[in-house]
Amino acid sequence: MSTVLIVEDEARIASFLTKGLRAAGFTPRVVARGGEAVETALQGGVDLILLDVGLPDMSGFELCSA
């Protein structure tokens, strides 16, 4: 099963994405901050990242560069 990292600080949006991905057979993981997303992605085991551009601690563009 593919793991999708959802980087989203809005709880409703993250919940909606999580439900849809689970229904489609994916394993979603949710984080709300860019720093946490970098750590999670570097640990491995993530097949795809869904990234919000407007995060509280860094922009999605900065996160993508990291």
Side-chain angles (χ1 to χ4, degrees), residues 2-41 45-57 60 63:
S2 297
T3 300
V4 178
L5 177 61
I6 301 168
V7 186
E8 174 59 62
D9 59 323
E10 295 286 333
R12 279 184 70 190
I13 295 172
S15 175
F16 176 77
L17 291 170
T18 297
K19 288 177 187 175
L21 287 167
R22 277 198 185 120
F26 294 94
T27 303
R29 292 184 63 189
V30 178
V31 297
R33 300 177 98 32
E36 188 179 2
V38 171
E39 290 176 18
T40 302
V46 174
D47 299 299
L48 177 73
I49 299 174
L50 293 179
L51 178 58
D52 182 9
V53 174
L55 296 169
D57 59 340
L63 176 59

